[in-house]
Amino acid sequence: MNWFANAWEQFRLAFLEKDRYEAYLRGFGTTLEVSLFAVLLGVALGLILAIAKYMAANHKRFRPLGWIANIYITIIRGTPVYVQMLIIYYIIMTSRDTSAVFAGVLCFGINSSAYVAEIIRAGIEAVDRGQMEAGRSLGLSEMQTMIQIIMPQAVRNILPALGNEFIVLIKETAVIGSIAVLDVTQVARNIGNGNYRYLPPLLIAAVMYLAVVIILTKFLGMLERRLAKSDRR
């Protein structure tokens, strides 16, 4: 009983005392905000990179674009996101008016785009090549065929993978506190610094991450089953 009483007291001090739960919620809201806008930016950039690689593979005149895309992807995937974040915030965005949240969105969006590009490219390549020929035979241009025929089919293939990328991105943003963004991890660290008891606040932050990951995983599972059912029709 003493153990449970002590555990409750630790929880109360870390979460309920002085309405600290509000700080956790605000911090987690910031985490989700950064993750959402970063994944949207990552999808937009990743789509451009994937199309550039596809065009380079099918047309010689676009090969320089393919080289640029490959160099970009290699550099971004080959360097730690933490280092990229520090470079963007402390070296590229040197203005005092720069928002740390914006710098975080930019960093994680750029990092995510390299992985999303490969996901989209794989989705495009999974579509039967005959679909392009069918579109061209209907009088559509190559770009029209890509947008109206190829991409809708590719999106169905890559939605689960994009969802997993969003989950990974949420967890990766735990390092954003290093540039003074008050996310849920930084809130937990601040509370730990205040009473020198780090385990309870960090466990609370971990549970919040775990809860949203479980919810998103369940949602992705439902989405995959729905897509599988529609494919069988």
Side-chain angles (χ1 to χ4, degrees), residues 119-124 151 153-163:
I119 292 172
I120 295 176
R121 181 190 59 80
I124 292 174
M151 286 308 301
Q153 297 180 66
V155 166
R156 291 167 60 85
N157 297 330
I158 66 177
L159 273 179
L162 288 178

Side-chain angles (χ1 to χ4, degrees), residues 21-53:
Y21 65 90
E22 295 181 355
Y24 284 101
L25 294 176
R26 287 194 298 269
F28 201 66
T30 300
T31 295
L32 294 179
E33 177 186 1
V34 171
S35 302
L36 177 60
F37 285 107
V39 80
L40 293 175
L41 177 60
V43 169
L45 294 176
L47 179 61
I48 294 171
L49 291 168
I51 292 177
K53 292 188 68 172

Side-chain angles (χ1 to χ4, degrees), residues 54-55 127-138 140-147 149-150 153:
Y54 176 84
M55 298 299 290
V127 178
D128 189 273
R129 291 184 178 273
Q131 297 293 317
M132 177 61 76
E133 297 174 1
R136 297 304 300 275
S137 67
L138 292 174
L140 299 176
S141 67
E142 187 170 0
M143 186 57 64
Q144 289 174 323
T145 304
M146 173 64 68
I147 295 173
I149 297 178
I150 303 297
Q153 297 180 66

Side-chain angles (χ1 to χ4, degrees), residues 8 15 98 109 134 210 213 233:
W8 168 253
F15 193 71
T98 298
L210 180 61
V213 167
R233 291 177 182 175

Side-chain angles (χ1 to χ4, degrees), residues 78-141:
T79 55
V81 66
Y82 182 71
V83 175
Q84 296 168 13
M85 182 178 63
L86 295 180
I87 291 173
I88 289 175
Y89 186 66
Y90 289 111
I91 299 176
I92 298 177
M93 295 187 171
T94 56
S95 172
R96 292 183 180 179
D97 297 329
T98 298
S99 167
V101 171
F102 174 75
V105 169
L106 184 62
C107 168
F108 290 106
I110 289 174
N111 183 267
S112 179
S113 68
Y115 297 91
V116 170
E118 292 301 299
I119 292 172
I120 295 176
R121 181 190 59 80
I124 292 174
E125 291 182 353
V127 178
D128 189 273
R129 291 184 178 273
Q131 297 293 317
M132 177 61 76
E133 297 174 1
R136 297 304 300 275
S137 67
L138 292 174
L140 299 176
S141 67

